Amino acid sequence: MLTILLLAAGRSSRMRGADKLLQDVNGTPQIATMAKRAQATGCPVAVCLPPEPGERHAALSGLPVLRVPVDDADLGMAHSIRAGIAALPADCTAALILPADMPEITRDDLMTMIEAHNAAPTALLQATSANGIPGHPVIFPENCFGALKRISGDTGARPVLRRFQGETQMIPLPGTHALTDLDTPEDWAAWRARP
């Protein structure tokens, strides 16, 4: 069973007081938009969140997702990944890890990744842009879970990707879907201004 792990516990520190995961995308806060797209695949969805209840928690109200509190998210993305992997159900055989600040990732993109996983269930799969630049999401099979539980800092899962580099299959997604993550007010403004 594949579980989608949405990373949404970071502080949004580069937004200068705003929260990138509460930005409006199609009339819904970004975090809810991504959770709904993930749910539309039919896979279980877990969302890594700050430990204290807040607006991100409220934005997910009514959505049947597993909420995973991350006490040490301030130490970097790796800590959210560790907490998320540790919270996966016992029968989970793969995790699709997706940062929640990537509004161009669609349900169809997720299905492209899931279908590739179904065809190669033990492979590590990384999404790329249409021209082959590696990005997100990444599907880690369960043989990577031990390594993911030991990462730390703000490098995300890069150490695990390096370790399994020779075994990773690249999955192209349309345009720059796999690369567009929006961290600052300027990023959001530029993205909204695009034709």
Side-chain angles (χ1 to χ4, degrees):
M1 181 184 71
L2 180 144
T3 297
I4 296 176
L5 187 59
L6 200 59
L7 304 180
R11 286 187 305 165
S12 254
S13 56
R14 295 174 62 195
M15 286 292 289
R16 299 193 295 278
D19 188 336
K20 63 184 177 181
L21 299 186
L22 298 177
Q23 296 296 302
D24 184 284
V25 176
N26 300 327
T28 306
Q30 168 68 5
I31 186 173
T33 296
M34 298 310 294
K36 289 174 181 177
R37 290 176 184 172
Q39 280 191 304
T41 66
C43 293
V45 179
V47 184
C48 294
L49 289 161
E52 66 284 348
E55 291 184 79
R56 293 183 188 178
H57 292 256
L60 296 172
S61 179
L63 296 177
V65 298
L66 172 66
R67 299 177 185 214
V68 180
V70 184
D71 294 326
D72 55 357
D74 289 352
L75 298 177
M77 184 187 291
H79 297 265
S80 291
I81 294 171
R82 278 169 42 173
I85 294 295
L88 293 174
D91 60 348
C92 181
T93 58
L96 183 154
I97 297 180
L98 174 63
D101 61 352
M102 301 188 71
E104 292 189 0
I105 295 291
T106 66
R107 183 250 181 206
D108 287 346
D109 295 334
L110 296 174
M111 290 306 303
T112 296
M113 297 296 295
I114 292 165
E115 287 161 8
H117 168 71
N118 291 340
T122 62
L124 196 161
L125 307 173
Q126 183 170 18
T128 73
S129 62
N131 62 352
I133 301 172
H136 292 96
V138 179
I139 296 180
F140 293 93
E142 63 182 328
N143 68 306
C144 297
F145 289 0
L148 289 170
K149 290 177 183 177
R150 293 189 296 272
I151 59 177
S152 62
D154 203 26
T155 59
R158 287 192 197 108
V160 181
L161 287 169
R162 280 196 298 270
R163 177 175 165 185
F164 292 94
Q165 188 170 10
E167 304 165 44
T168 303
Q169 294 183 24
M170 299 301 188
I171 310 297
L173 300 180
T176 57
H177 289 198
L179 306 178
T180 301
D181 63 341
L182 306 178
D183 292 321
T184 68
E186 292 78 14
D187 290 342
W188 280 94
W191 181 72
R192 289 190 174 110
R194 282 166 48 178

